[in-house]
Amino acid sequence: MVLFVTGGSRGIGRAIVEAAVVAGHDVAFTYREAGAAAEEVVDWARAHEPDARCRAYRLDVRDAAEVERVGDQVLDDFEAVDAVVCNAGILRNGVAAQMSDADWNDVLATNLTGSFYVARHFLMPFLAQGRGRLVFIGSLAQNGISGQANYSASKAGLVGLSKALAKEYGRKGITANVVVPGFFDTDLTREGMASGHKDFWNTYCPLGRMGHLDELARVVLFLASGASSFVNGAEIPVTGGLDWAS
Ligand code: NAP
């Protein structure tokens, strides 16, 4: 299987790339700025699975033309892509009354519109090959988290996007699903999550802990694979059982 993963240089995306490589898949992944981190991932893949093809591409998902260019390059390099994981995402926290246009627009452009650009690019090749998997990385914030109006709106939008694509393309062999992660230790949560939120998580999560990145990556790989053939338009929580956040 060939996977295309956005934001594979760090955190959850990196864990997905590494799990895919270990499982024997080929992976094209993107980064926006962290070229050195992306190189590290490629080196890691080469060291662990010398036969796997793993390549990094610089891409800002907010730029539709760049998505088209990089998407075409990936299809040239890998001939075909079986599954696309729209993972790239950012936080710009703040209360709504004081949220700047930039913080609103940047989060929506990256998390929602960028995911749409990427999914749209791969729909044509998926239609041509009669199959394809779209996996979107959502968040419990899709139900609303205080101080994250922009992020919450972007993640709720992803659910609508995924469900629409599930209905529009299901009959063509293309599925679309959202994975809803709980709390995972990455740069995003280290830098963007208040300590009160972390305490809340560890107190109220039925498993009493944050998730391990491989626990999330395994679910993503399932959804990217043929094994998930009748899962479509779903939201799959990987939250340890916590189904809300404040
Ligand atoms: P992270 O460690 O901050 O990594 C974010 C990744 O997205 C990086 O690879 C980054 O590239 C890339 N990226 C950011 N802006 C981009 C843009 N405009 N174009 C292309 N790539 C861009 O974050 P993470 O925690 O792994 O989060 C990954 C996804 O999971 C996000 O969608 C996030 O909302 C979601 N999520 C995370 C958690 C959690 O607990 N961590 C919980 C719920 C949902 P560079 O490395 O080049 O900057």
Side-chain angles (χ1 to χ4, degrees):
M1 176 164 75
V2 179
L3 290 96
F4 178 66
V5 181
T6 65
S9 44
R10 293 184 286 126
I12 288 172
R14 178 175 181 159
I16 295 167
V17 171
E18 292 183 355
V21 166
V22 167
H25 306 304
D26 293 329
V27 188
F29 73 91
T30 73
Y31 63 97
R32 184 191 49 176
E33 284 173 349
E39 230 8 83
E40 245 179 55
V41 178
V42 171
D43 290 344
W44 183 95
R46 199 172 292 127
H48 283 75
E49 297 293 334
D51 293 337
R53 286 186 298 167
C54 180
R55 279 199 194 181
Y57 299 81
R58 190 170 198 285
L59 170 66
D60 186 333
V61 295
R62 295 171 297 182
D63 182 333
E66 233 181 84
V67 170
E68 297 298 307
R69 187 180 54 72
V70 171
D72 283 342
Q73 186 63 53
V74 168
L75 288 164
D76 274 357
D77 293 345
F78 286 78
E79 291 100 44
V81 167
D82 302 290
V84 167
V85 182
C86 294
N87 163 77
I90 58 167
L91 281 176
R92 297 280 184 272
N93 294 343
V95 292
Q98 287 164 11
M99 187 170 285
S100 67
D101 293 0
D103 282 355
W104 174 268
N105 289 330
D106 209 16
V107 169
L108 270 290
T110 304
N111 300 4
L112 179 57
T113 308
S115 296
F116 168 68
Y117 290 156
V118 170
R120 180 178 64 181
H121 183 81
F122 284 95
L123 279 169
M124 290 310 281
F126 280 0
L127 285 167
Q129 69 198 18
R131 68 190 153 74
R133 298 266 179 270
L134 294 167
V135 182
F136 299 96
I137 306 299
S139 164
L140 276 183
Q142 70 190 40
N143 299 317
I145 290 185
S146 167
Q148 297 188 336
N150 47 2
Y151 187 72
S152 300
S154 73
K155 294 300 185 178
L158 273 187
V159 175
L161 170 64
S162 177
K163 286 179 187 288
L165 297 178
K167 289 176 179 157
E168 210 167 294
Y169 297 102
R171 283 181 171 73
K172 306 290 185 189
I174 300 166
T175 62
N177 294 290
V178 177
V179 171
V180 182
F183 172 27
F184 292 82
D185 186 27
T186 66
D187 292 342
L188 183 111
T189 47
R190 248 171 262 134
E191 291 158 14
M193 201 164 167
S195 63
H197 268 140
K198 294 181 188 171
D199 294 343
F200 163 87
W201 192 271
N202 291 323
T203 305
Y204 292 107
C205 174
L207 289 189
R209 61 172 174 86
M210 67 177 81
H212 304 307
L213 290 170
D214 63 306
E215 293 175 312
L216 185 59
R218 282 200 295 268
V219 177
V220 172
L221 283 194
F222 163 71
L223 289 171
S225 75
S228 68
S229 48
F230 209 54
V231 184
N232 191 28
E235 296 161 57
I236 312 285
V238 187
T239 64
L242 193 63
D243 54 8
W244 63 285
S246 62

